[in-house]
Amino acid sequence: MSTRPPLAQALRAARRLRPYTAEGDYSYSMRELCGDGWVLVGDAARFVDPIFSSGVGIALSSARLAASNIIAAAPLGFDRSAFAEFERKSRNATQWWRNFITLYYRLNVLFSSYIRNPEYRLDLIRLLQGDFFDDDEEPPVLGKMREKLALVESNPNHPWHSGLRSLQPQAWRDGSVQR
């Protein structure tokens, strides 16, 4: 703090409003991603998980999509309906991202298994990069991973069964994260 005297001075006058608490889930989703004359992109709209560091890719992809909607709406005005495509694609993309993260936390060996498969490698790389905002369908690898997970969950003798985990944030388990 000594390198930033104005900040140190401001903090000396600060007072804590609530007790300190531990925070283990940083996930959130805004109920509205757009409205008349405004649009949220990147982490302002939804934050899924800090581990995979896709934030910059998702921010850039959502901003690019928002920009194309803004350009198209410019002659007519910027009411909420101008951002319908942006909102639909953004919600789909972040939901697919969340689905991938949930699968990873539940059984992370799925990732290793599918990233080695040439048929699904590109889907996984695109998911990790946040590069699926232009897609109208969920990446096929997610369905395949869910199928494999169901097989592992239903078979206690499966070699991966002992690797099942429940590391999802509480907000995802109880549905408190908005979609």
Side-chain angles (χ1 to χ4, degrees), residues 81-107:
S81 65
F83 302 110
E85 177 189 31
F86 164 82
E87 185 166 25
R88 179 182 59 78
K89 287 187 172 191
S90 291
R91 287 196 187 282
N92 285 345
T94 54
Q95 186 61 40
W96 298 334
W97 174 243
R98 179 189 174 274
N99 292 347
F100 169 69
I101 298 297
T102 301
L103 287 164
Y104 180 86
Y105 282 149
R106 180 70 173 134
L107 186 63

Side-chain angles (χ1 to χ4, degrees), residues 144-170:
K144 293 295 183 181
M145 291 174 81
R146 277 193 295 273
E147 289 173 17
K148 179 69 99 173
L149 176 62
L151 178 74
V152 172
E153 288 174 328
S154 68
N155 182 357
N157 296 319
H158 192 286
W160 293 353
H161 192 81
S162 64
L164 292 169
R165 300 285 181 261
S166 181
L167 300 175
Q168 302 169 9
Q170 180 63 37

Side-chain angles (χ1 to χ4, degrees), residues 4 20 33 47 51 63 74 76 81 99 103 114 126-127 140 162-163:
R4 303 287 184 264
Y20 295 112
L33 301 184
F47 181 77
I51 302 299
L76 307 170
S81 65
N99 292 347
L103 287 164
Y114 282 91
R126 291 182 66 226
L127 275 166
S162 64

Side-chain angles (χ1 to χ4, degrees), residues 113-124 139-141 144:
S113 170
Y114 282 91
I115 197 75
R116 283 186 250 152
N117 182 329
E119 184 178 355
Y120 300 109
R121 183 175 172 79
L122 184 58
D123 278 351
L124 281 174
V141 70
K144 293 295 183 181

Side-chain angles (χ1 to χ4, degrees), residues 1 32 39 65 106 112 128 133 136 140:
M1 294 279 255
E32 295 184 64
V39 62
L65 184 58
R106 180 70 173 134
S112 301
L128 290 170
F133 276 76
D136 288 322

